[in-house]
Amino acid sequence: TISGCASCPTPSTRPSKPPPLDSALATPCRIPDAPAAADYDAWQEWVMGDVLKALGECAAKHRKTVEAWPQ
């Protein structure tokens, strides 16, 4: 069995260990609190400001995690 390894034309290389992920990427995505008022304007402001911002931050974290994955 030793001679079989010696006749290999190119020795196999060990895969390099990827750099560790930023610990901030492992934190759960923030879920904003819903407004208490049953007012359309308050809910629209909440969605346009808080919810969309939180979804954007979460999407950015997921993108950075996928980009860090070795190719």
Side-chain angles (χ1 to χ4, degrees):
T1 60
I2 294 175
S3 64
C5 293
S7 64
C8 182
T10 57
S12 60
T13 59
R14 298 175 98 183
S16 62
K17 186 175 180 182
L21 287 177
D22 183 11
S23 62
L25 297 177
T27 59
C29 293
R30 184 178 65 89
I31 301 173
D33 295 329
D39 180 33
Y40 177 81
D41 293 330
W43 279 83
Q44 184 176 10
E45 183 178 328
W46 173 70
V47 168
M48 298 294 285
D50 296 342
V51 174
L52 292 178
K53 183 179 177 182
L55 289 175
E57 292 169 355
C58 193
K61 285 192 336 185
H62 286 289
R63 186 183 70 244
K64 288 178 184 178
T65 303
V66 170
E67 288 173 354
W69 194 263
Q71 296 293 328

Short mmCIF file of all heavy atoms in Angstrom, two decimals:
data_model
loop_
_atom_site.label_atom_id
_atom_site.label_comp_id
_atom_site.label_asym_id
_atom_site.label_seq_id
_atom_site.Cartn_x
_atom_site.Cartn_y
_atom_site.Cartn_z
N THR A 1 0.81 -1.21 0.00
CA THR A 1 0.00 0.00 0.00
C THR A 1 0.85 1.26 0.00
O THR A 1 0.41 2.27 -0.49
CB THR A 1 -0.92 0.03 1.24
OG1 THR A 1 -0.14 -0.01 2.40
CG2 THR A 1 -1.93 -1.08 1.19
N ILE A 2 2.06 1.17 0.55
CA ILE A 2 2.92 2.35 0.57
C ILE A 2 3.37 2.70 -0.84
O ILE A 2 3.44 3.86 -1.20
CB ILE A 2 4.13 2.12 1.50
CG1 ILE A 2 3.63 1.99 2.94
CG2 ILE A 2 5.13 3.26 1.38
CD1 ILE A 2 4.71 1.63 3.92
N SER A 3 3.64 1.71 -1.64
CA SER A 3 4.11 1.99 -3.00
C SER A 3 3.01 2.62 -3.85
O SER A 3 3.28 3.37 -4.76
CB SER A 3 4.63 0.73 -3.66
OG SER A 3 3.57 -0.20 -3.81
N GLY A 4 1.76 2.34 -3.53
CA GLY A 4 0.66 2.95 -4.27
C GLY A 4 0.60 4.45 -4.08
O GLY A 4 0.31 5.20 -5.00
N CYS A 5 0.92 4.90 -2.89
CA CYS A 5 0.93 6.33 -2.63
C CYS A 5 2.14 6.99 -3.28
O CYS A 5 2.09 8.14 -3.68
CB CYS A 5 0.94 6.62 -1.13
SG CYS A 5 -0.57 6.12 -0.32
N ALA A 6 3.23 6.28 -3.37
CA ALA A 6 4.45 6.85 -3.92
C ALA A 6 4.35 7.05 -5.42
O ALA A 6 5.03 7.89 -5.98
CB ALA A 6 5.63 5.96 -3.58
N SER A 7 3.49 6.30 -6.08
CA SER A 7 3.40 6.41 -7.53
C SER A 7 2.36 7.45 -7.97
O SER A 7 2.12 7.62 -9.15
CB SER A 7 3.07 5.05 -8.14
OG SER A 7 1.78 4.65 -7.69
N CYS A 8 1.77 8.13 -7.06
CA CYS A 8 0.77 9.16 -7.39
C CYS A 8 1.46 10.31 -8.12
O CYS A 8 2.47 10.84 -7.63
CB CYS A 8 0.10 9.65 -6.11
SG CYS A 8 -1.17 10.87 -6.40
N PRO A 9 1.00 10.71 -9.30
CA PRO A 9 1.69 11.75 -10.06
C PRO A 9 1.72 13.11 -9.33
O PRO A 9 2.72 13.81 -9.39
CB PRO A 9 0.90 11.85 -11.36
CG PRO A 9 -0.40 11.23 -11.09
CD PRO A 9 -0.20 10.26 -9.96
N THR A 10 0.67 13.48 -8.70
CA THR A 10 0.65 14.75 -7.95
C THR A 10 0.13 14.45 -6.55
O THR A 10 -0.96 13.90 -6.39
CB THR A 10 -0.25 15.79 -8.61
OG1 THR A 10 -1.56 15.27 -8.75
CG2 THR A 10 0.28 16.21 -9.96
N PRO A 11 0.89 14.78 -5.54
CA PRO A 11 0.41 14.54 -4.19
C PRO A 11 -0.79 15.42 -3.87
O PRO A 11 -0.86 16.56 -4.31
CB PRO A 11 1.61 14.89 -3.31
CG PRO A 11 2.45 15.78 -4.13
CD PRO A 11 2.20 15.41 -5.55
N SER A 12 -1.73 14.83 -3.18
CA SER A 12 -2.91 15.62 -2.83
C SER A 12 -2.55 16.61 -1.73
O SER A 12 -1.71 16.33 -0.87
CB SER A 12 -4.05 14.71 -2.36
OG SER A 12 -3.64 13.97 -1.24
N THR A 13 -3.17 17.75 -1.77
CA THR A 13 -2.91 18.79 -0.77
C THR A 13 -4.09 18.88 0.18
O THR A 13 -5.23 18.63 -0.21
CB THR A 13 -2.70 20.16 -1.43
OG1 THR A 13 -3.86 20.50 -2.18
CG2 THR A 13 -1.48 20.15 -2.34
N ARG A 14 -3.80 19.25 1.39
CA ARG A 14 -4.86 19.42 2.37
C ARG A 14 -5.58 20.73 2.10
O ARG A 14 -4.95 21.73 1.77
CB ARG A 14 -4.27 19.45 3.78
CG ARG A 14 -3.56 18.18 4.15
CD ARG A 14 -2.92 18.34 5.47
NE ARG A 14 -3.78 17.76 6.48
CZ ARG A 14 -3.53 17.79 7.76
NH1 ARG A 14 -2.46 18.40 8.22
NH2 ARG A 14 -4.34 17.22 8.61
N PRO A 15 -6.89 20.73 2.21
CA PRO A 15 -7.60 21.99 2.00
C PRO A 15 -7.24 22.98 3.12
O PRO A 15 -7.08 22.59 4.28
CB PRO A 15 -9.08 21.60 2.06
CG PRO A 15 -9.12 20.29 2.73
CD PRO A 15 -7.78 19.63 2.50
N SER A 16 -7.11 24.22 2.74
CA SER A 16 -6.77 25.23 3.74
C SER A 16 -8.01 25.53 4.58
O SER A 16 -9.14 25.47 4.11
CB SER A 16 -6.27 26.51 3.07
OG SER A 16 -7.28 27.05 2.27
N LYS A 17 -7.76 25.84 5.82
CA LYS A 17 -8.86 26.14 6.73
C LYS A 17 -9.34 27.56 6.46
O LYS A 17 -8.54 28.49 6.44
CB LYS A 17 -8.37 26.01 8.18
CG LYS A 17 -9.46 26.16 9.19
CD LYS A 17 -8.92 25.90 10.59
CE LYS A 17 -10.03 26.06 11.60
NZ LYS A 17 -9.54 25.86 12.96
N PRO A 18 -10.65 27.74 6.24
CA PRO A 18 -11.15 29.08 5.96
C PRO A 18 -11.03 29.96 7.21
O PRO A 18 -11.02 29.46 8.34
CB PRO A 18 -12.62 28.86 5.58
CG PRO A 18 -12.98 27.56 6.20
CD PRO A 18 -11.71 26.75 6.25
N PRO A 19 -10.94 31.27 7.00
CA PRO A 19 -10.86 32.15 8.17
C PRO A 19 -12.16 32.07 8.97
O PRO A 19 -13.23 31.80 8.40
CB PRO A 19 -10.67 33.53 7.56
CG PRO A 19 -11.16 33.43 6.17
CD PRO A 19 -10.94 32.00 5.75
N PRO A 20 -12.10 32.27 10.27
CA PRO A 20 -13.31 32.19 11.08
C PRO A 20 -14.28 33.32 10.72
O PRO A 20 -13.86 34.42 10.34
CB PRO A 20 -12.80 32.34 12.51
CG PRO A 20 -11.48 33.02 12.38
CD PRO A 20 -10.91 32.59 11.06
N LEU A 21 -15.54 33.01 10.83
CA LEU A 21 -16.57 34.02 10.54
C LEU A 21 -16.62 35.05 11.66
O LEU A 21 -16.34 34.75 12.82
CB LEU A 21 -17.94 33.37 10.40
CG LEU A 21 -18.19 32.57 9.15
CD1 LEU A 21 -19.57 31.92 9.21
CD2 LEU A 21 -18.08 33.41 7.91
N ASP A 22 -17.03 36.23 11.31
CA ASP A 22 -17.24 37.29 12.29
C ASP A 22 -18.38 36.84 13.21
O ASP A 22 -19.41 36.36 12.75
CB ASP A 22 -17.60 38.58 11.56
CG ASP A 22 -17.78 39.75 12.50
OD1 ASP A 22 -17.43 39.64 13.69
OD2 ASP A 22 -18.27 40.80 12.03
N SER A 23 -18.21 37.00 14.50
CA SER A 23 -19.23 36.55 15.45
C SER A 23 -20.53 37.33 15.29
O SER A 23 -21.60 36.83 15.65
CB SER A 23 -18.71 36.67 16.88
OG SER A 23 -18.43 38.02 17.18
N ALA A 24 -20.47 38.52 14.74
CA ALA A 24 -21.70 39.30 14.53
C ALA A 24 -22.62 38.65 13.51
O ALA A 24 -23.83 38.86 13.54
CB ALA A 24 -21.35 40.72 14.09
N LEU A 25 -22.05 37.84 12.62
CA LEU A 25 -22.88 37.16 11.62
C LEU A 25 -23.71 36.04 12.22
O LEU A 25 -24.70 35.61 11.64
CB LEU A 25 -22.00 36.61 10.50
CG LEU A 25 -21.22 37.64 9.69
CD1 LEU A 25 -20.33 36.93 8.68
CD2 LEU A 25 -22.15 38.60 9.01
N ALA A 26 -23.32 35.56 13.39
CA ALA A 26 -24.04 34.46 14.03
C ALA A 26 -25.18 34.94 14.92
O ALA A 26 -25.97 34.14 15.40
CB ALA A 26 -23.08 33.62 14.86
N THR A 27 -25.27 36.23 15.15
CA THR A 27 -26.34 36.75 16.00
C THR A 27 -27.66 36.69 15.25
O THR A 27 -27.70 36.86 14.03
CB THR A 27 -26.06 38.21 16.43
OG1 THR A 27 -25.94 39.02 15.25
CG2 THR A 27 -24.80 38.31 17.26
N PRO A 28 -28.75 36.43 15.96
CA PRO A 28 -30.06 36.38 15.30
C PRO A 28 -30.44 37.74 14.72
O PRO A 28 -30.03 38.79 15.22
CB PRO A 28 -31.02 35.99 16.42
CG PRO A 28 -30.18 35.49 17.53
CD PRO A 28 -28.84 36.09 17.38
N CYS A 29 -31.22 37.69 13.68
CA CYS A 29 -31.71 38.94 13.08
C CYS A 29 -32.68 39.63 14.05
O CYS A 29 -33.44 38.97 14.75
CB CYS A 29 -32.41 38.65 11.77
SG CYS A 29 -31.28 38.04 10.50
N ARG A 30 -32.61 40.95 14.02
CA ARG A 30 -33.46 41.75 14.92
C ARG A 30 -34.89 41.77 14.38
O ARG A 30 -35.12 41.94 13.19
CB ARG A 30 -32.91 43.18 14.96
CG ARG A 30 -33.63 44.10 15.91
CD ARG A 30 -32.99 45.47 15.93
NE ARG A 30 -33.10 46.16 14.66
CZ ARG A 30 -34.12 46.94 14.31
NH1 ARG A 30 -35.13 47.11 15.14
NH2 ARG A 30 -34.14 47.54 13.15
N ILE A 31 -35.83 41.57 15.28
CA ILE A 31 -37.25 41.65 14.92
C ILE A 31 -37.82 42.88 15.62
O ILE A 31 -37.91 42.92 16.85
CB ILE A 31 -38.02 40.39 15.36
CG1 ILE A 31 -37.41 39.17 14.68
CG2 ILE A 31 -39.50 40.52 15.04
CD1 ILE A 31 -37.98 37.85 15.17
N PRO A 32 -38.17 43.91 14.86
CA PRO A 32 -38.67 45.13 15.49
C PRO A 32 -40.05 44.92 16.12
O PRO A 32 -40.86 44.13 15.63
CB PRO A 32 -38.73 46.14 14.35
CG PRO A 32 -38.69 45.35 13.10
CD PRO A 32 -38.08 44.02 13.41
N ASP A 33 -40.28 45.62 17.22
CA ASP A 33 -41.57 45.56 17.89
C ASP A 33 -42.62 46.30 17.07
O ASP A 33 -42.38 47.38 16.55
CB ASP A 33 -41.49 46.17 19.28
CG ASP A 33 -40.57 45.38 20.19
OD1 ASP A 33 -40.49 44.15 20.02
OD2 ASP A 33 -39.94 45.99 21.07
N ALA A 34 -43.81 45.69 16.97
CA ALA A 34 -44.91 46.30 16.23
C ALA A 34 -45.48 47.47 17.03
O ALA A 34 -45.45 47.46 18.27
CB ALA A 34 -46.00 45.27 15.97
N PRO A 35 -45.99 48.47 16.34
CA PRO A 35 -46.60 49.59 17.06
C PRO A 35 -47.86 49.15 17.80
O PRO A 35 -48.58 48.25 17.35
CB PRO A 35 -46.91 50.61 15.97
CG PRO A 35 -46.87 49.86 14.69
CD PRO A 35 -46.02 48.66 14.90
N ALA A 36 -48.10 49.76 18.93
CA ALA A 36 -49.28 49.41 19.74
C ALA A 36 -50.55 50.03 19.18
O ALA A 36 -51.64 49.49 19.34
CB ALA A 36 -49.06 49.84 21.18
N ALA A 37 -50.41 51.16 18.53
CA ALA A 37 -51.58 51.87 18.01
C ALA A 37 -52.13 51.17 16.77
O ALA A 37 -51.38 50.64 15.97
CB ALA A 37 -51.21 53.31 17.67
N ALA A 38 -53.44 51.21 16.64
CA ALA A 38 -54.09 50.65 15.46
C ALA A 38 -54.28 51.77 14.43
O ALA A 38 -55.36 51.98 13.90
CB ALA A 38 -55.43 50.02 15.83
N ASP A 39 -53.21 52.47 14.15
CA ASP A 39 -53.24 53.61 13.24
C ASP A 39 -52.48 53.25 11.97
O ASP A 39 -51.34 52.79 12.02
CB ASP A 39 -52.60 54.83 13.93
CG ASP A 39 -52.59 56.06 13.04
OD1 ASP A 39 -53.52 56.22 12.23
OD2 ASP A 39 -51.63 56.86 13.17
N TYR A 40 -53.11 53.49 10.83
CA TYR A 40 -52.49 53.13 9.55
C TYR A 40 -51.16 53.83 9.36
O TYR A 40 -50.18 53.23 8.92
CB TYR A 40 -53.44 53.47 8.41
CG TYR A 40 -52.85 53.21 7.05
CD1 TYR A 40 -52.84 51.93 6.51
CD2 TYR A 40 -52.28 54.24 6.30
CE1 TYR A 40 -52.28 51.68 5.27
CE2 TYR A 40 -51.72 54.00 5.06
CZ TYR A 40 -51.72 52.72 4.55
OH TYR A 40 -51.17 52.48 3.33
N ASP A 41 -51.11 55.12 9.68
CA ASP A 41 -49.87 55.88 9.49
C ASP A 41 -48.75 55.35 10.37
O ASP A 41 -47.60 55.30 9.95
CB ASP A 41 -50.12 57.37 9.76
CG ASP A 41 -51.04 58.01 8.72
OD1 ASP A 41 -51.03 57.54 7.56
OD2 ASP A 41 -51.76 58.97 9.07
N ALA A 42 -49.07 54.97 11.60
CA ALA A 42 -48.05 54.42 12.51
C ALA A 42 -47.52 53.11 11.97
O ALA A 42 -46.31 52.85 12.00
CB ALA A 42 -48.64 54.24 13.91
N TRP A 43 -48.39 52.27 11.45
CA TRP A 43 -47.97 50.98 10.91
C TRP A 43 -47.15 51.17 9.63
O TRP A 43 -46.16 50.48 9.40
CB TRP A 43 -49.17 50.07 10.64
CG TRP A 43 -49.62 49.39 11.89
CD1 TRP A 43 -50.44 49.90 12.85
CD2 TRP A 43 -49.24 48.09 12.33
NE1 TRP A 43 -50.61 49.00 13.86
CE2 TRP A 43 -49.89 47.87 13.56
CE3 TRP A 43 -48.45 47.10 11.81
CZ2 TRP A 43 -49.74 46.69 14.28
CZ3 TRP A 43 -48.31 45.92 12.52
CH2 TRP A 43 -48.95 45.73 13.74
N GLN A 44 -47.56 52.11 8.79
CA GLN A 44 -46.81 52.36 7.56
C GLN A 44 -45.42 52.90 7.88
O GLN A 44 -44.43 52.47 7.29
CB GLN A 44 -47.55 53.35 6.67
CG GLN A 44 -46.86 53.57 5.34
CD GLN A 44 -47.64 54.48 4.42
OE1 GLN A 44 -48.61 55.11 4.82
NE2 GLN A 44 -47.21 54.55 3.17
N GLU A 45 -45.31 53.79 8.83
CA GLU A 45 -44.02 54.32 9.25
C GLU A 45 -43.14 53.20 9.84
O GLU A 45 -41.95 53.14 9.58
CB GLU A 45 -44.20 55.43 10.27
CG GLU A 45 -42.93 56.09 10.70
CD GLU A 45 -43.18 57.22 11.68
OE1 GLU A 45 -44.22 57.88 11.60
OE2 GLU A 45 -42.30 57.41 12.55
N TRP A 46 -43.77 52.31 10.61
CA TRP A 46 -43.05 51.18 11.20
C TRP A 46 -42.49 50.27 10.13
O TRP A 46 -41.33 49.87 10.17
CB TRP A 46 -43.99 50.42 12.14
CG TRP A 46 -43.43 49.15 12.69
CD1 TRP A 46 -42.42 49.02 13.59
CD2 TRP A 46 -43.84 47.83 12.37
NE1 TRP A 46 -42.18 47.69 13.86
CE2 TRP A 46 -43.05 46.94 13.13
CE3 TRP A 46 -44.82 47.30 11.53
CZ2 TRP A 46 -43.21 45.57 13.05
CZ3 TRP A 46 -44.97 45.93 11.47
CH2 TRP A 46 -44.16 45.08 12.22
N VAL A 47 -43.32 49.93 9.13
CA VAL A 47 -42.87 49.03 8.05
C VAL A 47 -41.79 49.71 7.22
O VAL A 47 -40.74 49.11 6.95
CB VAL A 47 -44.06 48.59 7.17
CG1 VAL A 47 -43.57 47.92 5.90
CG2 VAL A 47 -44.98 47.67 7.92
N MET A 48 -42.02 50.95 6.83
CA MET A 48 -41.07 51.65 5.96
C MET A 48 -39.74 51.93 6.67
O MET A 48 -38.70 51.92 6.04
CB MET A 48 -41.69 52.97 5.47
CG MET A 48 -42.94 52.80 4.64
SD MET A 48 -42.64 51.98 3.07
CE MET A 48 -41.90 53.30 2.17
N GLY A 49 -39.77 52.15 7.96
CA GLY A 49 -38.55 52.47 8.69
C GLY A 49 -37.93 51.27 9.35
O GLY A 49 -36.84 50.82 8.97
N ASP A 50 -38.61 50.71 10.33
CA ASP A 50 -38.02 49.65 11.17
C ASP A 50 -37.92 48.30 10.46
O ASP A 50 -36.87 47.66 10.48
CB ASP A 50 -38.83 49.49 12.46
CG ASP A 50 -38.79 50.73 13.32
OD1 ASP A 50 -37.90 51.57 13.12
OD2 ASP A 50 -39.66 50.86 14.21
N VAL A 51 -39.01 47.85 9.86
CA VAL A 51 -39.04 46.50 9.29
C VAL A 51 -38.10 46.40 8.09
O VAL A 51 -37.29 45.47 7.99
CB VAL A 51 -40.47 46.09 8.90
CG1 VAL A 51 -40.48 44.76 8.16
CG2 VAL A 51 -41.34 46.00 10.14
N LEU A 52 -38.17 47.35 7.17
CA LEU A 52 -37.31 47.29 5.99
C LEU A 52 -35.84 47.43 6.36
O LEU A 52 -34.98 46.78 5.76
CB LEU A 52 -37.72 48.36 4.98
CG LEU A 52 -39.08 48.14 4.31
CD1 LEU A 52 -39.41 49.27 3.36
CD2 LEU A 52 -39.11 46.81 3.58
N LYS A 53 -35.53 48.24 7.35
CA LYS A 53 -34.14 48.38 7.80
C LYS A 53 -33.65 47.05 8.40
O LYS A 53 -32.55 46.60 8.11
CB LYS A 53 -34.03 49.49 8.82
CG LYS A 53 -32.62 49.73 9.28
CD LYS A 53 -32.54 50.86 10.28
CE LYS A 53 -31.12 51.02 10.78
NZ LYS A 53 -31.00 52.07 11.78
N ALA A 54 -34.49 46.42 9.23
CA ALA A 54 -34.11 45.15 9.86
C ALA A 54 -33.93 44.06 8.80
O ALA A 54 -32.99 43.25 8.89
CB ALA A 54 -35.16 44.73 10.88
N LEU A 55 -34.80 44.03 7.80
CA LEU A 55 -34.67 43.02 6.74
C LEU A 55 -33.40 43.26 5.91
O LEU A 55 -32.74 42.30 5.51
CB LEU A 55 -35.90 43.04 5.83
CG LEU A 55 -37.18 42.49 6.45
CD1 LEU A 55 -38.35 42.69 5.48
CD2 LEU A 55 -37.04 41.03 6.80
N GLY A 56 -33.06 44.51 5.67
CA GLY A 56 -31.84 44.82 4.94
C GLY A 56 -30.60 44.40 5.71
O GLY A 56 -29.65 43.85 5.13
N GLU A 57 -30.59 44.66 7.02
CA GLU A 57 -29.45 44.24 7.84
C GLU A 57 -29.32 42.72 7.86
O GLU A 57 -28.21 42.18 7.79
CB GLU A 57 -29.61 44.78 9.26
CG GLU A 57 -29.48 46.27 9.38
CD GLU A 57 -29.90 46.82 10.74
OE1 GLU A 57 -30.39 46.02 11.59
OE2 GLU A 57 -29.73 48.02 10.96
N CYS A 58 -30.43 42.03 7.95
CA CYS A 58 -30.43 40.56 7.97
C CYS A 58 -29.94 40.01 6.63
O CYS A 58 -29.14 39.08 6.59
CB CYS A 58 -31.83 40.05 8.29
SG CYS A 58 -31.88 38.31 8.69
N ALA A 59 -30.40 40.59 5.53
CA ALA A 59 -29.96 40.15 4.21
C ALA A 59 -28.46 40.37 4.03
O ALA A 59 -27.77 39.53 3.44
CB ALA A 59 -30.75 40.88 3.13
N ALA A 60 -27.95 41.48 4.54
CA ALA A 60 -26.51 41.76 4.43
C ALA A 60 -25.70 40.73 5.22
O ALA A 60 -24.64 40.28 4.76
CB ALA A 60 -26.21 43.17 4.93
N LYS A 61 -26.19 40.35 6.42
CA LYS A 61 -25.49 39.33 7.21
C LYS A 61 -25.47 37.99 6.48
O LYS A 61 -24.45 37.30 6.45
CB LYS A 61 -26.14 39.17 8.58
CG LYS A 61 -25.82 40.28 9.52
CD LYS A 61 -26.19 40.07 10.96
CE LYS A 61 -27.25 39.13 11.31
NZ LYS A 61 -27.59 39.11 12.74
N HIS A 62 -26.58 37.63 5.88
CA HIS A 62 -26.65 36.36 5.15
C HIS A 62 -25.71 36.39 3.94
O HIS A 62 -25.03 35.42 3.65
CB HIS A 62 -28.08 36.06 4.71
CG HIS A 62 -28.96 35.61 5.82
ND1 HIS A 62 -28.84 34.38 6.41
CD2 HIS A 62 -29.98 36.24 6.45
CE1 HIS A 62 -29.75 34.26 7.37
NE2 HIS A 62 -30.44 35.38 7.41
N ARG A 63 -25.67 37.52 3.23
CA ARG A 63 -24.79 37.64 2.07
C ARG A 63 -23.33 37.51 2.48
O ARG A 63 -22.55 36.81 1.83
CB ARG A 63 -25.02 38.98 1.35
CG ARG A 63 -24.22 39.09 0.05
CD ARG A 63 -24.38 40.44 -0.63
NE ARG A 63 -23.70 41.46 0.15
CZ ARG A 63 -24.32 42.49 0.75
NH1 ARG A 63 -25.62 42.65 0.63
NH2 ARG A 63 -23.63 43.38 1.45
N LYS A 64 -22.93 38.15 3.58
CA LYS A 64 -21.55 38.07 4.04
C LYS A 64 -21.20 36.64 4.47
O LYS A 64 -20.08 36.18 4.26
CB LYS A 64 -21.31 39.03 5.20
CG LYS A 64 -21.30 40.48 4.78
CD LYS A 64 -21.12 41.39 5.96
CE LYS A 64 -21.20 42.83 5.56
NZ LYS A 64 -21.08 43.74 6.72
N THR A 65 -22.15 35.94 5.05
CA THR A 65 -21.91 34.54 5.45
C THR A 65 -21.70 33.66 4.23
O THR A 65 -20.80 32.84 4.19
CB THR A 65 -23.10 34.01 6.28
OG1 THR A 65 -23.30 34.87 7.41
CG2 THR A 65 -22.86 32.60 6.75
N VAL A 66 -22.52 33.85 3.20
CA VAL A 66 -22.38 33.06 1.98
C VAL A 66 -21.07 33.39 1.27
O VAL A 66 -20.39 32.51 0.77
CB VAL A 66 -23.59 33.30 1.03
CG1 VAL A 66 -23.37 32.70 -0.33
CG2 VAL A 66 -24.86 32.74 1.67
N GLU A 67 -20.70 34.67 1.24
CA GLU A 67 -19.44 35.07 0.59
C GLU A 67 -18.22 34.51 1.32
O GLU A 67 -17.19 34.27 0.70
CB GLU A 67 -19.36 36.59 0.52
CG GLU A 67 -20.31 37.21 -0.49
CD GLU A 67 -20.33 38.71 -0.42
OE1 GLU A 67 -19.71 39.31 0.49
OE2 GLU A 67 -21.00 39.32 -1.28
N ALA A 68 -18.33 34.29 2.62
CA ALA A 68 -17.20 33.76 3.39
C ALA A 68 -17.03 32.26 3.18
O ALA A 68 -15.98 31.72 3.50
CB ALA A 68 -17.41 34.05 4.88
N TRP A 69 -18.03 31.59 2.66
CA TRP A 69 -17.96 30.14 2.42
C TRP A 69 -16.92 29.87 1.36
O TRP A 69 -16.89 30.52 0.32
CB TRP A 69 -19.32 29.62 1.99
CG TRP A 69 -19.43 28.14 2.05
CD1 TRP A 69 -19.26 27.28 1.02
CD2 TRP A 69 -19.73 27.35 3.19
NE1 TRP A 69 -19.43 25.99 1.45
CE2 TRP A 69 -19.71 26.01 2.78
CE3 TRP A 69 -19.97 27.65 4.52
CZ2 TRP A 69 -19.96 24.97 3.65
CZ3 TRP A 69 -20.22 26.61 5.39
CH2 TRP A 69 -20.21 25.29 4.95
N PRO A 70 -16.02 28.90 1.57
CA PRO A 70 -14.98 28.62 0.57
C PRO A 70 -15.59 28.15 -0.75
O PRO A 70 -16.56 27.40 -0.75
CB PRO A 70 -14.12 27.55 1.20
CG PRO A 70 -14.90 27.02 2.36
CD PRO A 70 -15.93 28.03 2.73
N GLN A 71 -15.00 28.58 -1.82
CA GLN A 71 -15.49 28.24 -3.18
C GLN A 71 -15.04 26.88 -3.60
O GLN A 71 -14.01 26.42 -3.46
CB GLN A 71 -15.03 29.28 -4.18
CG GLN A 71 -15.58 30.63 -3.91
CD GLN A 71 -17.09 30.74 -4.10
OE1 GLN A 71 -17.67 30.07 -4.94
NE2 GLN A 71 -17.74 31.56 -3.31
#
